[in-house]
Amino acid sequence: MSSTMKLMLFSFFTILSFQTVFSVTPIIVQHPLDPLTEQEITLVQTIVLRKYPTSRNRLTFHYVGLDDPDKAAILKWQQSSKLVKINRKSFVIAIINSQSHEILIDLEAKLIVSDNIYKGNGFPTLSVEEQGQAIELPLKYGPFIASVNKRGLNLSEVVCSTFSIGWYGEVKSKRSLRVECFMKEDTANIYVRPINGVIILVDIEKMEIVEYHDTEIEPVPTATNTEYRASHQRPPFGPKQHSLTSHQPQGPGFQINGHSVSWANWKFHIGFDVRAGVIISLASVYDLEKHKSRRVLYRGYISELFVPYQDPSEDWYYKTFFDAGEFGFGQSMVPLVPNLDCPPNAQFLDAHFAQVDGSPTTLKNAFCVFEQYGNIMWRHTETGIPNEDIVETRTEVNLIVRSIVTVGNYDNILDWEFKASGSIKLGIALSGILEIKAVGIKHKSEIKKEQHGTLVSANSIGVYHDHFYIYHLDLDIDGEYNSFEKTNLKTVKVTDGSSKRKSYWTIETETANTESDGKIKIGTNPTELTVVNPNKQSSIGNDVGYRLIPGPAVHPLLTEDDYPQIRGAFTNNNVWVTPYNRTEKWAGGLYVDQSRGEDTLAVWTKRNRDIKNKDIVLWHVVGIHHVPTQEDFPIMPLLSTGFELRPTNFFERNPVLKTLSPKDVQWPGCPK
């Protein structure tokens, strides 16, 4: 938890007058999918506080976002040269007098359309401010101070952080957090210096410690060789890296108009949500032969990130985090550092979201957009023609939309990469710091029982864990009505003597009719997975489509009846396909904190709805089983994964056949 977060106080605004609602600065929105502006967030705050003044109510805002416009209306707006009027609405989740309210607000009419109280299980996304309050409690709590003194530690060097607690069969749940504390003495790398053996439970409604245990004393790992700040490093440095300068004499090859981006043959919209983070919408690619833009993706974003740790002990069993639903991917995004997180040719966009009191805050440099050079788009060297030397190669230029989400100890670097060939690559890279369990072990030979992790340094176990990202991908391949095809590769034996070969492989394609057919565990059989438009064919008769090219197949290893896996059952398959439903956005459910797995993708698909030639959504789980190593300590180099959406019979031929490489730039003073 940063010092900024710790200083944030839990405060409420005085209710604004009724007249204030109508004197808000005029809201200018260029696109109906644009994220809420600062003025709109202020308007939402004003309208809610008008009905629930803080003088008579305890009120906190936990989600304020754009209510998804009707998809048909958006497509009509897009096709009608943007002449169709679409009313902007905001969906709000607020806790008012200990009850979760779902409030829908018409921003045009400045009215509450509906206000319903949620009575099911689970709680809304945790706010930054209440977490900031919770981490201060131990520092003033007598039993904790005694525990610190008993260990011979300096209280002034102690910092704390919050952890969601999950659900383990309890009949009744209260909004609560675990708090763990660390030593910042001699290092900024607090997560590798935990004070283990202390269990703190905070009731965040009462904002007080309701449970405290000091179970055992383990040595706090030393600060030696844990510092990662460049200003605190000592020589020798290395390996040495040489400088590089970049220059685009014609300026950037992309244009940003508000949140709409056009580049090469692509057009798309960049949105933002306090829970999802970056949202890419209305992505279409221009077909040079057909002389028109063709739809590919209506909407895509990370719906959830499930991170279960694998230590079942009392101190660790509850660490089964849902980073988007519990902590908010959007509110956990961090400002990007120019020239370091993004190259010098990048352009940046800001984001706005509501704080716990409903007032807007701005995240500067929330995402960046830049062109990446240096790869090969396609090439061939022909040596088979006598007396001719043919070498054709093309330089690839790609467009990347990048954001970084930091939830506690981990940094998630998230890329959307658009290629002129029509592909979209989704990249995930992890950096940051391992969660460390302090132990009285300094050498592997001392380990006598299961430690549920790797000894990465003296007294430091890096605990085994997983990272499961699930993407919501509403593909509209040349239109809304699509189907999902599984093309199985199978071995055929030659038994009739017709060939000197004894075997070959061929394909067998089947179209998924229902949601059950669309559930895929990747890696069990060689399979090609494609979303096709059965109503549109290429000139030679193939259905146009886009293929999912997955990364390494990773499957959950928890039993399906384990409580974390019940909540994270959306990871039971790598691929799911559902009919489009604007309310089915969050794979882990709308209320994830202490949820019970009653409102997940795995539950929705039990209806086994039709998905053939329908408006469908592809859900893809990307996973990493993380077995820590010494190289991950004290801070991790990037650990990467991802996948690709690749055109499949979508174009008549190679769409970049006529794409020329960028011209070389002659620098002054350099030889030609």
Side-chain angles (χ1 to χ4, degrees):
M1 188 75 66
S2 68
S3 58
T4 303
M5 290 172 65
K6 289 193 290 180
L7 292 173
M8 287 179 138
L9 299 177
F10 186 69
S11 61
F12 303 98
F13 273 14
T14 304
I15 182 172
L16 302 177
S17 66
F18 177 86
Q19 288 79 12
T20 305
V21 174
F22 300 96
S23 62
V24 172
T25 304
I27 298 166
I28 301 173
V29 178
Q30 297 184 8
H31 196 292
L33 293 179
D34 280 355
L36 296 182
T37 65
E38 290 180 281
Q39 294 88 351
E40 287 177 317
I41 293 170
T42 300
L43 177 59
V44 167
Q45 178 198 39
T46 303
I47 292 172
V48 173
L49 293 182
R50 183 180 69 195
K51 182 174 181 180
Y52 298 103
T54 56
S55 58
R56 300 195 301 272
N57 300 277
R58 290 183 296 110
L59 186 152
T60 52
F61 290 83
H62 292 264
Y63 178 87
V64 178
L66 178 70
D67 183 62
D68 288 348
D70 181 72
K71 182 176 180 179
I74 290 290
L75 296 177
K76 188 175 180 181
W77 172 86
Q78 188 182 37
Q79 293 162 4
S80 65
S81 300
K82 305 175 183 177
L83 298 176
V84 174
K85 173 68 174 175
I86 297 178
N87 275 11
R88 300 262 292 177
K89 295 178 183 177
S90 175
F91 179 67
V92 177
I93 297 178
I95 297 180
I96 304 172
N97 302 324
S98 300
Q99 292 182 311
S100 295
H101 285 245
E102 299 175 359
I103 303 171
L104 183 63
I105 296 173
D106 188 321
L107 297 172
E108 308 288 338
K110 302 181 176 63
L111 294 172
I112 292 177
V113 176
S114 62
D115 182 356
N116 300 313
I117 297 175
Y118 173 71
K119 297 182 179 179
N121 294 309
F123 301 106
T125 303
L126 297 159
S127 73
V128 171
E129 292 86 345
E130 65 191 350
Q131 293 179 72
Q133 272 195 304
I135 63 176
E136 295 292 340
L137 294 177
L139 304 180
K140 302 173 183 177
Y141 187 66
F144 177 75
I145 295 172
S147 294
V148 170
N149 292 335
K150 181 170 65 175
R151 288 164 170 79
L153 304 175
N154 185 348
L155 184 66
S156 66
E157 297 292 338
V158 174
V159 294
C160 303
S161 187
T162 54
F163 298 81
S164 56
I165 66 171
W167 171 74
Y168 292 87
E170 301 89 351
V171 175
K172 189 174 182 180
S173 300
K174 292 183 178 180
R175 292 192 71 232
S176 305
L177 285 168
R178 289 263 197 145
V179 176
E180 295 185 11
C181 299
F182 310 84
M183 296 302 297
K184 66 181 178 67
E185 187 176 27
D186 298 325
T187 182
N189 198 342
I190 60 171
Y191 291 105
V192 302
R193 303 200 68 212
I195 305 172
N196 279 167
V198 175
I199 297 172
I200 305 171
L201 184 67
V202 172
D203 183 323
I204 50 178
E205 285 292 309
K206 298 178 180 178
M207 201 50 70
E208 62 182 36
I209 294 174
V210 293
E211 187 177 322
Y212 184 86
H213 303 285
D214 189 344
T215 59
E216 59 182 332
I217 297 177
E218 295 284 1
V220 175
T222 176
T224 305
N225 294 324
T226 64
E227 183 59 72
Y228 53 81
R229 291 173 293 181
S231 59
H232 287 63
Q233 301 295 326
R234 299 283 185 270
F237 297 99
K240 185 177 180 181
Q241 300 187 93
H242 287 232
S243 299
L244 171 72
T245 187
S246 59
H247 174 57
Q248 293 180 293
Q250 299 167 296
F254 60 91
Q255 294 80 42
I256 302 178
N257 179 16
H259 283 260
S260 297
V261 178
S262 58
W263 168 81
N265 48 353
W266 281 101
K267 291 183 179 180
F268 58 90
H269 180 272
I270 305 175
F272 169 83
D273 180 84
V274 70
R275 178 165 171 174
V278 171
I279 298 175
I280 301 295
S281 301
L282 299 176
S284 62
V285 62
Y286 186 79
D287 189 324
L288 192 65
E289 293 199 19
K290 294 183 181 295
H291 307 292
K292 66 176 184 179
S293 289
R294 301 172 64 188
R295 286 162 52 191
V296 175
L297 177 73
Y298 177 71
R299 204 166 202 206
Y301 55 90
I302 293 178
S303 179
E304 191 54 83
L305 168 55
F306 178 36
V307 187
Y309 281 78
Q310 304 302 317
D311 188 332
S313 65
E314 184 64 24
D315 286 3
W316 279 79
Y317 76 89
Y318 65 91
K319 293 190 175 185
T320 55
F321 308 124
F322 293 77
D323 283 355
E326 292 173 341
F327 298 100
F329 250 35
Q331 71 178 8
S332 300
M333 286 169 58
V334 295
L336 299 172
V337 182
N339 301 337
L340 294 175
D341 290 326
C342 308
N345 58 318
Q347 294 186 21
F348 295 82
L349 293 172
D350 300 338
H352 311 288
F353 59 90
Q355 300 177 93
V356 72
D357 62 5
S359 61
T361 186
T362 299
L363 176 66
K364 302 293 290 184
N365 294 355
F367 15 82
C368 68
V369 182
F370 61 91
E371 289 168 294
Q372 187 176 71
Y373 294 76
N375 292 325
I376 297 171
M377 179 183 289
W378 62 261
R379 76 167 324 280
H380 180 59
T381 298
E382 182 54 68
T383 60
I385 302 176
N387 304 317
E388 289 197 45
D389 184 14
I390 300 173
V391 178
E392 286 289 317
T393 185
R394 299 291 187 272
T395 298
E396 183 173 66
V397 181
N398 300 325
L399 187 75
I400 294 178
V401 179
R402 174 170 294 168
S403 62
I404 298 179
V405 175
T406 301
V407 183
N409 53 310
Y410 269 116
D411 296 63
N412 302 268
I413 298 94
L414 307 171
D415 285 354
W416 285 79
E417 180 178 344
F418 294 85
K419 293 176 171 284
S421 62
S423 283
I424 305 174
K425 291 188 72 174
L426 291 299
I428 297 167
L430 283 169
S431 188
I433 300 160
L434 297 171
E435 281 221 30
I436 293 296
K437 178 173 67 172
V439 294
I441 299 170
K442 294 187 176 181
H443 192 275
K444 186 176 179 180
S445 62
E446 301 171 36
I447 298 176
K448 304 303 180 186
K449 63 178 182 178
E450 174 67 75
Q451 292 297 330
H452 311 289
T454 305
L455 187 69
V456 294
S457 185
N459 305 119
S460 305
I461 295 287
V463 177
Y464 307 138
H465 59 283
D466 301 311
H467 304 262
F468 291 108
Y469 303 78
I470 182 165
Y471 282 80
H472 173 286
L473 301 165
D474 183 0
L475 292 165
D476 282 358
I477 309 302
D478 249 355
E480 300 102 290
Y481 291 96
N482 290 176
S483 293
F484 179 64
E485 287 186 349
K486 298 180 288 184
T487 299
N488 300 309
L489 282 64
K490 65 174 188 176
T491 300
V492 179
K493 292 183 178 180
V494 180
T495 59
D496 60 0
S498 61
S499 172
K500 292 183 179 181
R501 291 271 295 276
K502 293 184 178 182
S503 64
Y504 62 94
W505 64 260
T506 188
I507 65 170
E508 191 175 72
T509 299
E510 55 184 300
T511 301
N513 292 306
T514 64
E515 289 175 289
S516 292
D517 300 332
K519 297 176 183 179
I520 306 291
K521 285 185 171 66
I522 293 173
T524 55
N525 294 297
T527 306
E528 301 282 322
L529 304 173
T530 310
V531 174
V532 301
N533 187 330
N535 314 293
K536 301 280 182 69
Q537 286 78 38
S538 66
S539 63
I540 57 176
N542 291 313
D543 290 345
V544 301
Y546 260 70
R547 184 164 33 124
L548 172 68
I549 301 180
V554 177
H555 308 118
L557 298 174
L558 300 180
T559 60
E560 291 193 8
D561 64 345
D562 196 358
Y563 294 107
Q565 195 58 35
I566 291 171
R567 300 174 66 211
F570 53 84
T571 64
N572 289 341
N573 297 294
N574 303 102
V575 174
W576 309 71
V577 183
T578 62
Y580 169 79
N581 183 326
R582 67 185 293 272
T583 67
E584 295 178 357
K585 297 174 59 176
W586 311 112
L590 182 57
Y591 296 88
V592 177
D593 183 28
Q594 299 179 61
S595 62
R596 302 185 181 185
E598 300 160 318
D599 176 30
T600 69
L601 176 61
V603 173
W604 309 335
T605 55
K606 288 180 179 179
R607 287 174 282 178
N608 205 23
R609 295 164 291 186
D610 292 339
I611 58 172
K612 184 177 180 180
N613 203 10
K614 303 286 186 182
D615 188 358
I616 58 176
V617 175
L618 179 75
W619 305 77
H620 182 39
V621 176
V622 184
I624 296 174
H625 291 309
H626 194 169
V627 179
T629 67
Q630 289 180 224
E631 288 80 7
D632 296 337
F633 185 91
I635 193 165
M636 288 173 53
L638 290 190
L639 177 63
S640 302
T641 187
F643 64 99
E644 182 177 352
L645 299 170
R646 184 180 179 90
T648 301
N649 303 319
F650 185 82
F651 297 102
E652 290 295 329
R653 55 192 55 82
N654 179 351
V656 287
L657 179 67
K658 297 182 180 180
T659 300
L660 304 178
S661 297
K663 293 182 179 180
D664 291 336
V665 176
Q666 295 299 323
W667 286 85
C670 293
K672 293 185 179 181

